[in-house]
Amino acid sequence: MSGFVGVVVSDQWLHSQFTQVELRGLHANFVSASNDSGKATLGNLPPVMCKLKALKDILSADDISRILSESATDATEEIDFESFLRLYLDLQGRATAKLGNTKLKTSSSFLKARTTTIRHNISESEKASYVAHINSFLREDKFLKDFLPIDPSDNALFELVKGGVVLCKLINVAVPGTIDERAINTKKVLNPWETNENHTLCLNSAKAIGCTVVNIGTQDLVEARPHLVVGLISQIIKIQLLADLNLKKTPQLVELVEDSKDVEELLGLAPEKVLLKWMNFHLKKAGYKKQVNNFSSDLKDGEAYAHLLNALAPEHGTTNTLDTKDPTERANLIIEQAEKLDCKRYVTPQDIVEGSPNLNLAFVAQIFQHRNGLSVDTKKISFAEMMEDDAQTSREERCFRLWINSLGTDTYINNLFDSVRTGWVLLEVLDKIAPGSVNWKQATKPPIKMPFRKVENCNQVIRIGKELNFSLVNVAGNDIVQGNKKLILAFLWQLMRFTMLQLLKNLRFHAQGKEITDADILNWANKKVKSAGRKSQIDSFKDKSLSNGMFFLELLSAVEPRVVNWSVVTKGETDEDRKLNATYTISVARKLGCSIFLLPEDIIEVNQKMILTLTASIMYWSLQHKADTPETIPEEDIAASDESPAAPSDGENASS
């Protein structure tokens, strides 16, 4: 295990927002403003904050004082270091907004545009569009029918969000089956505990479908902070609308590439990039001379829309849309024409003219869903199907991709195997989980033109992996550059496992306990279930008895008795019952507070690696909530390794 120890932040998400270098610098500044008790008063912070790199010359001490007074009127209020970090993130967002938010405007991926406190003013047009979406897709829901339709002109949306149910239901619309609805608290009147459970389930499930929820917590949803709520809803809806923008769901997309060798490049594109490629494909065929590179300024005049709709739906085609010179009038005609295709109105004429990027993207995605205009080339489609991975590889790719994106790294990845080949993403991950381990002076940031620079990055990845005691026999950086899927998955598993064990170790940091091992986790789980009076016990994380889900439900009930509703649990004797239990297990774990990315199939098939991640996540939650501080965790809660059953193997020697 690595000896890297830096500034430790107990909140995993908060820790993930900073490199260790940043944490050390921020901690030094916090200490300079703190008193003997180790806390700082709000009144002392502005002079310190305004000198920080991200805020210097953008926000003055007076600006910061004014911002801090918005949330706290008492300048003598004391805060700890973690609160200081949260304030810094908020101020950093304000500073970015003051500069015009250039970085987010030029972002190529809507998912990279994180749900943060950067913009506090919401777009009423976006809000109205998302409300219409919710009213349409959830109108038949038995629980929500008493609250729908929502009036977009008032705060009804935010009041409804406070209970947590509507966001959970919306996630299930976007990616069906993500949340087992038996785990949602749906009473008419919820107590604070039940409300918090719903929001915890929502945020962990949002991460599990690909949303980036940095800078947002359950309290933000309890308070229904408008900019955060709209930002989260925007991501969920976009994931739904872009769900078919991949070769697996729409193999006809291979028509967009001229040569079969370009299919791999298409596989690596972000969904909105695929949507632009699709749009330009049809525009070129229609004789439109311009290239559409974004969903804002390039669509303002409406000409691209007019050509696209005429090409896709010639039966509704008209020259009037192109003949008119007034952009607003043209936008009106575009919407009228789109409605003939039964497209929902995500945009108003004003949204088109003003170039609203989120609503234009939603509108184009809706057109794609209703009429993609692609032919069926069986030769190309069969080739695209050959590119698909086997089921387990696809699930592991999904798990590691979502896990990486949840860490809050600067790079958002859409295709795991394509994204890691430069080594940069892996270095970003390593910097998060082993702070100070990366020598950034020896790293090259993409785009990288010289192949040897990619190899240099990946060689550093392998070197750090060996320092962390990963099993990397006969593995070289070039294996990653070449996209060896088996080795990449094996390396990422060891990264994820290292992170889990480090989190567990940090809980016992001041107790000077032994290193946590797989055997410790196994022993803890068995002891926990037994102490609750249950009989289930497992021999390893490969134990076939795990497939019915009962052991995990008993473990979850042991750490928090009220979290499992046993009346909805099946005996797990049939395939269907096992699937129901596995789905319920995952939702209950997320509802409890576990950030996990496995699928029900991983439990049913007893995927050793995913089973370990689930058990470790439950253990981490339990130990976090058992004591107020790491020092008070009883040593007997985790048996020493030499008293435990034989540890299951890591399962993956990267060289095998």
Side-chain angles (χ1 to χ4, degrees):
M1 197 67 67
S2 168
F4 292 114
V5 177
V7 179
V8 178
V9 179
S10 63
D11 186 320
Q12 180 187 358
W13 168 82
L14 189 60
H15 191 113
S16 73
Q17 304 311 299
F18 304 95
T19 65
Q20 191 59 214
V21 173
E22 291 170 330
L23 279 174
R24 286 198 293 266
L26 289 168
H27 189 261
N29 281 280
F30 174 77
V31 170
S32 71
S34 61
N35 52 33
D36 293 338
S37 67
K39 294 187 176 182
T41 59
L42 289 174
N44 291 340
L45 292 182
V48 175
M49 288 283 201
C50 70
K51 295 177 182 178
L52 298 176
K53 184 178 180 181
L55 311 178
K56 191 176 181 181
D57 301 326
I58 304 174
L59 296 178
S60 66
D62 290 339
D63 291 331
I64 294 172
S65 294
R66 176 179 50 78
I67 293 169
L68 294 182
S69 67
E70 292 176 5
S71 56
T73 55
D74 186 2
T76 64
E77 180 183 338
E78 292 187 339
I79 64 169
D80 59 15
F81 179 54
E82 292 195 10
S83 298
F84 174 84
L85 292 178
R86 293 182 185 278
L87 285 175
Y88 172 73
L89 286 174
D90 186 62
L91 292 169
Q92 190 179 40
R94 305 274 190 128
T96 305
K98 193 170 182 179
L99 287 175
N101 201 10
T102 304
K103 182 177 179 181
L104 291 184
K105 286 181 179 178
T106 58
S107 173
S108 63
S109 171
F110 76 86
L111 288 172
K112 190 178 175 183
R114 301 167 181 157
T115 306
T116 67
T117 55
I118 288 178
R119 294 183 297 172
H120 289 267
N121 295 321
I122 66 170
S123 163
E124 288 298 324
S125 185
E126 282 192 34
K127 174 190 165 189
S129 179
Y130 302 152
V131 164
H133 181 98
I134 292 170
N135 287 339
S136 174
F137 282 93
L138 292 173
R139 65 178 181 272
E140 302 297 331
D141 186 87
K142 291 181 180 179
F143 176 80
L144 293 174
K145 65 181 181 181
D146 293 338
F147 304 95
L148 300 181
I150 303 168
D151 185 347
S153 65
D154 58 24
N155 289 323
L157 170 65
F158 305 117
E159 288 302 313
L160 186 56
V161 162
K162 290 180 179 179
V165 178
V166 68
L167 292 181
C168 289
K169 300 273 189 177
L170 191 61
I171 287 171
N172 266 358
V173 169
V175 184
T178 299
I179 297 175
D180 189 321
E181 299 207 357
R182 295 174 295 174
I184 305 174
N185 298 317
T186 53
K187 294 191 306 186
K188 293 293 183 183
V189 179
L190 300 174
N191 62 42
W193 178 277
E194 292 165 331
T195 300
N196 187 70
E197 282 185 334
N198 280 348
H199 290 313
T200 302
L201 175 60
C202 166
L203 290 177
N204 282 320
S205 300
K207 284 192 288 186
I209 66 170
C211 293
T212 305
V213 294
V214 293
N215 284 3
I216 182 169
T218 56
Q219 189 59 32
D220 297 314
L221 297 182
V222 169
E223 297 172 4
R225 297 177 67 185
H227 60 292
L228 295 177
V229 169
V230 170
L232 180 56
I233 290 175
S234 171
Q235 289 192 76
I236 296 169
I237 290 176
K238 285 171 181 174
I239 285 172
Q240 176 187 343
L241 293 175
L242 297 177
D244 294 338
L245 268 299
N246 60 73
L247 286 175
K248 187 172 183 179
K249 293 286 187 67
T250 312
Q252 296 92 334
L253 285 167
V254 293
E255 190 180 350
L256 303 184
V257 296
E258 295 181 2
D259 197 302
S260 58
K261 66 182 181 182
D262 296 327
V263 172
E264 191 170 352
E265 180 184 346
L266 186 64
L267 285 168
L269 286 180
E272 62 271 37
K273 289 291 186 182
V274 176
L275 191 61
L276 282 174
K277 193 175 184 71
W278 167 80
M279 190 176 190
N280 284 310
F281 171 79
H282 284 299
L283 289 176
K284 184 178 180 180
K285 286 174 63 175
Y288 187 63
K289 303 298 182 184
K290 299 177 184 177
Q291 180 88 2
V292 176
N293 297 309
N294 56 61
F295 292 103
S296 53
S297 58
D298 287 358
L299 298 176
K300 282 184 175 182
D301 59 15
E303 290 184 4
Y305 275 137
H307 280 89
L308 179 67
L309 291 170
N310 282 345
L312 293 175
E315 71 274 21
H316 302 307
T318 173
T319 59
N320 295 341
T321 312
L322 288 169
D323 291 342
T324 182
K325 302 300 180 185
D326 179 57
T328 302
E329 184 180 345
R330 180 182 293 130
N332 274 302
L333 293 171
I334 286 166
I335 289 175
E336 289 178 11
Q337 194 172 350
E339 286 182 334
K340 293 176 183 178
L341 291 177
D342 294 326
C343 287
K344 294 179 177 63
R345 185 181 292 189
Y346 281 99
V347 292
T348 64
Q350 195 64 24
D351 295 325
I352 294 176
V353 173
E354 292 179 355
S356 171
N358 285 341
L359 297 183
N360 273 316
L361 184 149
F363 184 49
V364 177
Q366 190 73 5
I367 295 171
F368 174 86
Q369 287 184 344
H370 282 75
R371 186 78 65 91
N372 65 40
L374 298 173
S375 62
V376 181
D377 186 332
T378 54
K379 290 183 179 179
K380 283 188 174 181
I381 289 176
S382 62
F383 179 81
E385 290 171 347
M386 287 170 59
M387 302 287 291
E388 292 294 329
D389 296 314
D390 63 81
Q392 183 164 327
T393 298
S394 295
R395 290 206 304 269
E396 291 191 9
E397 185 276 339
R398 171 194 170 278
C399 173
F400 294 133
R401 169 168 46 84
L402 294 172
W403 171 66
I404 289 172
N405 288 333
S406 75
L407 295 176
T409 55
D410 288 337
T411 306
Y412 188 94
I413 61 176
N414 293 284
N415 181 286
L416 177 71
F417 299 121
D418 183 68
S419 298
V420 302
R421 290 173 66 174
T422 65
W424 184 263
V425 169
L426 295 176
L427 290 173
E428 287 186 310
V429 174
L430 285 163
D431 190 55
K432 289 287 184 183
I433 69 171
S437 62
V438 178
N439 184 344
W440 290 109
K441 292 181 179 179
Q442 295 179 2
T444 304
K445 187 175 183 179
I448 302 174
K449 295 181 179 179
M450 305 299 291
F452 75 92
R453 295 295 185 192
K454 298 179 184 179
V455 176
E456 286 180 344
N457 282 354
C458 292
N459 282 341
Q460 183 175 181
V461 168
I462 298 300
R463 176 183 60 76
I464 297 170
K466 290 179 178 178
E467 291 174 0
L468 299 178
N469 293 330
F470 291 0
S471 177
L472 295 168
V473 180
N474 298 326
V475 180
N478 196 50
D479 293 315
I480 298 175
V481 176
Q482 296 300 318
N484 186 314
K485 293 182 180 180
K486 184 177 181 180
L487 295 182
I488 289 170
L489 290 176
F491 183 83
L492 286 169
W493 161 239
Q494 293 185 81
L495 273 177
M496 178 182 274
R497 178 177 174 277
F498 172 84
T499 306
M500 293 185 303
L501 298 184
Q502 283 294 97
L503 286 171
L504 290 169
K505 177 187 174 185
N506 285 342
L507 287 178
R508 310 168 70 224
F509 182 78
H510 297 293
Q512 297 180 344
K514 292 184 178 181
E515 297 283 356
I516 304 295
T517 67
D518 296 4
D520 290 325
I521 299 170
L522 179 68
N523 191 70
W524 172 86
N526 277 327
K527 287 183 64 177
K528 203 70 182 175
V529 170
K530 187 176 181 179
S531 68
R534 302 284 180 173
K535 295 182 179 180
S536 296
Q537 295 286 281
I538 56 174
D539 296 326
S540 71
F541 295 117
K542 295 186 290 186
D543 195 316
K544 294 301 180 184
S545 67
L546 289 164
S547 65
N548 64 15
M550 291 300 296
F551 180 82
F552 289 117
L553 290 170
E554 291 182 355
L555 178 60
L556 287 162
S557 180
V559 300
E560 177 48 66
R562 65 177 304 282
V563 80
V564 176
N565 179 2
W566 287 103
S567 67
V568 302
V569 176
T570 75
K571 293 182 179 179
E573 295 175 347
T574 66
D575 290 344
E576 183 180 353
D577 284 353
R578 282 191 284 273
K579 178 73 176 288
L580 286 170
N581 281 356
T583 305
Y584 186 57
T585 294
I586 291 170
S587 291
V588 169
R590 288 176 179 151
K591 176 180 178 177
L592 193 65
C594 300
S595 181
I596 50 177
F597 303 97
L598 76 166
L599 292 171
E601 290 78 6
D602 293 314
I603 295 177
I604 296 167
E605 297 172 13
V606 192
N607 182 322
Q608 180 184 355
K609 291 182 286 187
M610 298 302 110
I611 293 294
L612 173 59
T613 64
L614 175 58
T615 313
S617 296
I618 298 171
M619 179 179 178
Y620 180 69
W621 184 91
S622 177
L623 295 184
Q624 258 191 322
H625 289 76
K626 183 164 185 175
D628 295 327
T629 61
E631 291 88 342
T632 62
I633 297 173
E635 190 68 27
E636 62 269 17
D637 243 20
I638 307 175
S641 297
D642 56 1
E643 298 173 355
S644 303
S649 68
D650 292 347
E652 306 297 326
N653 183 319
S655 63
S656 61

